[in-house]
Amino acid sequence: MRPSLQQSMLAATLALALTTPALAQDHAHHAQPAPKVEDPHAGHAAPAPAQEPVHDHAAMDHGSSDQTATPVEPAEPIPPVSDADRAAAFPDLAHSMEHGAGMNHYVLIDRLEAVDLDQGSGEAWELQGWVGGDIDRLWFRSEGERARGHTESADVELLYGHSVSPWWDLVAGVKHDFKPGDSQTWGAIGFQGMSPYKFEIEATAYLGEDGRSAASFEAEYDVLLTNRLILQPLLEIELYGKDDPDRGIGSGLSTVEAGVRLRYEVTRKFAPYIGVSHERAFGDTADYRQDEGEDTRDTRFVAGLRLWF
């Protein structure tokens, strides 16, 4: 063998001899131990789970909760209700509700106002009152109007009123017209009072001289915006049975007036107000007004006072 080949074989043999022990090593002892994880609860004894209280229903006596248990009797037993007790609690109301024979009185100036007319200004009033007891009263009523310094209408009524229910009076008497035209007197009969829903109502029929007849209807209502601020709508209707050219009145539906007034009650007996009123004439009454150069429709702004005592 040549020397170079021998050297190469020798070198390979030495290299094999040196690497063989390394390959034969047992790697079992090189296994890495598992990381030790500390248990945070180590050393702490876990509490025992809470347990529902055990009820021994068999041992419980549910029969003791019976709702029909006998109530405790009062110290002094209540006597049973007798017929005398019922009669005292619910007396017979068929008798009169009159409280007494005393005399009373009342005056209401419902409207005392200044009127803004198309030409100039005017004044108007409406008032009523009574004197008497709870059942029988003597009533008086008056209303009128002035324009540009002249009285255009004015009347006074004197009526006997008898209460026919807690809310209604039957009235009868006389009415005297001072204006328009010559004065005249009417016989009057009607009723007045408060209807359901608190509408104040006046309805009166009149019979006059020469077979004349007339009727008037008035309704008003108080709307309480506050305890002192009150809105009062009003409606008035007048009808006549015959034409009366001297007074500018036609038969049938004569005039309808609707208005609304807003008053503030400084006291219950004293209340200033402002408002607006619209009147329209119909039929022959409208024709008479047109002949006199007057309007058949008239809208007015008003301001006044409401008083009672």
Side-chain angles (χ1 to χ4, degrees), residues 6 22 27 99 160 165 177 184 186 208 210 251 264 289 292:
Q6 292 178 348
H27 292 278
H99 292 164
Y160 163 73
S165 79
D177 290 342
Q184 61 178 342
W186 306 78
D210 302 327
S251 61
Y264 181 80
R289 291 190 178 185
E292 295 293 331

Side-chain angles (χ1 to χ4, degrees), residues 200-223:
E200 295 279 354
I201 302 292
E202 286 184 9
T204 312
Y206 303 97
L207 291 175
E209 301 173 357
D210 302 327
R212 301 187 187 281
S213 60
S216 68
F217 174 84
E218 179 176 331
E220 63 184 31
Y221 185 77
D222 283 350
V223 181

Side-chain angles (χ1 to χ4, degrees), residues 13 18 34 68-70 78 129-130 150 170 181 184 206 224 281:
T13 301
L18 292 174
T68 60
T70 303
I78 301 175
W130 58 263
H150 299 283
L170 180 66
Q184 61 178 342
Y206 303 97
L224 273 67

Side-chain angles (χ1 to χ4, degrees), residues 42-74:
H44 296 280
Q51 296 183 353
E52 294 291 337
V54 178
H55 299 283
D56 186 359
H57 293 275
M60 296 176 64
D61 183 9
H62 291 285
S64 61
S65 61
D66 187 1
Q67 299 297 323
T68 60
T70 303
V72 178
E73 291 290 340

Side-chain angles (χ1 to χ4, degrees), residues 271-287:
Y273 65 82
I274 57 173
V276 61
S277 176
H278 179 79
E279 183 188 66
R280 180 181 177 182
F282 295 87
D284 291 341
T285 302
D287 294 338

